[in-house]
Amino acid sequence: PFHSNVPVLIMSGTLDGRAVENDAKRAGSQFDQVSYVTIDGASHDFWFLRPPPRVPQVTEAFLRGETVRDERIAWPVSFRWPQ
């Protein structure tokens, strides 16, 4: 089995059909330093539309080497096409 102590940030959306939350937890179990961010209402490709609130800040903090706590972010589902 794979195991690492490298810090990892795992994001998953509750509407993600490719990387569901349970799969994210299973993948993260191989890392000592893992942070999970779950985005309620997000699909797999949520970044291509517009990032949900707080996601850019959490990502930037992780990339700066700061500790990122597990978090659940609400993102209301919108069915309107982007302009």
Side-chain angles (χ1 to χ4, degrees), residues 58-71:
V58 169
T59 304
E60 290 169 9
F62 177 79
L63 293 173
R64 284 192 301 266
E66 298 172 16
T67 300
V68 174
R69 299 183 194 282
D70 292 354
E71 184 172 353

Side-chain angles (χ1 to χ4, degrees), residues 3-5 9 12 14 21 54 65-67 72 77 80:
H3 188 79
S4 176
N5 63 355
L9 175 62
S12 63
T14 56
E21 191 172 359
R54 289 223 7 92
E66 298 172 16
T67 300
R72 191 165 202 107
V77 177
R80 138 186 112 147

Side-chain angles (χ1 to χ4, degrees), residues 14-77:
T14 56
L15 300 180
D16 189 339
R18 286 185 261 173
V20 295
E21 191 172 359
N22 288 343
D23 291 344
K25 297 282 186 182
R26 188 172 25 255
S29 69
Q30 301 175 86
F31 298 91
D32 293 332
Q33 300 179 60
V34 62
S35 301
Y36 300 98
V37 176
T38 303
I39 301 113
D40 289 325
S43 66
H44 190 79
D45 300 317
F46 65 88
W47 277 107
F48 295 118
L49 299 173
R50 64 179 165 84
R54 289 223 7 92
V55 168
Q57 293 86 357
V58 169
T59 304
E60 290 169 9
F62 177 79
L63 293 173
R64 284 192 301 266
E66 298 172 16
T67 300
V68 174
R69 299 183 194 282
D70 292 354
E71 184 172 353
R72 191 165 202 107
I73 297 172
W75 193 36
V77 177

